[in-house]
Amino acid sequence: MPAKEIKELRESGKLEEALMMAKNEFQAEPDNIWTKRNLAWVYYAFLKRDQGSQEGFMEKLSKAIELKMPENENLFFEQFCWVIGGHNFKISKSELSSADKFNSVKLIFQTIKTIKLEQSKGHSFLMKSFHNAFKEVTTDGQFNQENLINTSKSYVEFFQWTGFDRFLEEDFEQFETNGRKIMSFVEQVIIAYAKVLLKGEHVEDDGIMSTEINEEKTALFLNFIDIVIEEHPDFQYSLYYKSKLLLALERFDEAKKSLVPFVKMKKNDFWVWDLLGEAYADDTDMQIACLCKALTLNTKESFLVKVHQKLADLLVGKELYKEASVEVLNSISIRKKNDWKINNELIKYTHLDWFKKEVKIKENKKFYEEQSILAEELLYNNHDEIVIVIDFVNTNKKVVNFIKDKNLNGFFSYKHLKMNPKIGDIYKARLNPIGEDGFYKVLTFKSSPNTDSEVIKKVSGNLKIAVNRDFGFINDNFISPDLIKKHELKDGDEITGKIILSFNKKKNDWGWKVFTVSQ
């Protein structure tokens, strides 16, 4: 067997002679693992020689794949990975157009994806080369939208093939290039893969094309991110992209929990508050609070143009026209300063009656500060939303008493809240207890008039007013002198109304009191 001669020819650079001898040997004994190995290593030598030359490299690569080397040929496949990765990097650094670079590396992937590769340093290098080629690219005029879509598809397809369980420990570590620290390879993959998933996939339904996020692929990737977050909490952007993916899947409650620790890390960046607001898709008040917080931070004015307009839209929905007019003007002003187009939505606002009437203030600084309190509290408190009922209002001090049930009640200030509370009003809120005297801070807050509460009931019956008394009872439910006087009620009147659970401090006991009546 001429194995020794083949190796000597190969190592001396006489590759054509080595190839001819190896082919003859293999053809004579195609089932002999040694003849297959000898030929495979000759092909490897050609691949090493032809790195960066696509035509020659592809020819020998295809021949090597056709040999169907056993999966346990670890030494060969390790070098195989290194040589392919090296070729990919040379192609990426070549003077070819972006489109030609991508198509060349894509052809390499389509050729090797039939084989199975084990975790190794060579495999890690190979992953880096495809990541480099398939991640989001910069167009050069020849790289059209179709090419961009194909890079996304190829990026997903590559990692679906190789899996997310082949990274080495070193792939999770930062490294240095030219004295500059670079984030770990794994974190780079998380960012690139998440961006591709967020772009969505083109789906055709009854001839109509749309873009949808792939739920199955995204869910699997989220499992990987969770593992990374647990084992490498120092990664800055894992939480961010996890949150973005959860928002895209409309898993808002999970997104809130994921975003809070990320916002804590980046709390001085306006855009994280904007993102946090997106997690509160069903809570306009919280969205407003988050955008207001974003606008309190020291940020280049031009970066905030979309935040101003987004806030304007929300304020219009809440009929806060005075504040909304300021945000419309802010957005228009920034666009004019930067010679940007003023979009139709902004122009439309300027022609509405409320805009012409309500342009009376120059800034919303105080409004930002008041509203941002709600957003700030989210970082340090994680409470469930509860249904509460207002059972006392002090309009002078802007304080209300509330009750959820016998076990949860207290009071809070509503100075910073856009509300005009009345006894019996029902809200959904997140509250944080401060001290031990029953005072709470409001974290989130929204009106919920159609919600039932166990502390409010309907009542009907005859009013009973004792002699020389200014208060009364309906079926043992207390009715105050103020209500009796307001409605000019008399003993024996048939009354229909509502009662609310109330704590009687004098009796140190719970009871029910009437808060609204009709005759």
Side-chain angles (χ1 to χ4, degrees), residues 4 17 20 31 54 63 89 121 141 195 214 224 306 341 378 384 389 460 467 469 517:
K4 182 178 180 182
E17 296 177 39
M20 183 179 297
D31 296 327
Q54 180 73 359
K63 294 292 186 182
F89 276 116
K121 287 184 177 292
K195 283 182 176 179
N214 187 301
F224 169 67
K306 292 183 179 179
K341 180 181 177 182
L378 289 177
D384 293 331
V389 180
S460 60
V467 178
R469 297 290 186 179
V517 299

Side-chain angles (χ1 to χ4, degrees), residues 15 40-54 56-58 60-62 64-65 75-91 105 108 112 115 117 120-127 129-130:
L15 298 185
W41 281 106
V42 172
Y43 285 140
Y44 165 76
F46 273 100
L47 291 173
K48 191 173 182 181
R49 185 196 70 181
D50 293 339
Q51 278 184 332
S53 175
Q54 180 73 359
F57 193 89
M58 275 303 306
K60 295 302 187 289
L61 179 65
S62 298
I65 296 295
L75 179 59
F76 172 77
F77 282 118
E78 174 71 350
Q79 296 306 311
F80 193 61
C81 287
W82 282 106
V83 77
I84 295 173
H87 174 76
N88 288 344
F89 276 116
K90 285 190 175 183
I91 290 293
V105 178
I108 298 292
I112 70 168
I115 62 177
L117 300 171
S120 69
K121 287 184 177 292
H123 182 261
S124 175
F125 181 70
L126 182 71
M127 291 170 70
S129 73
F130 281 109

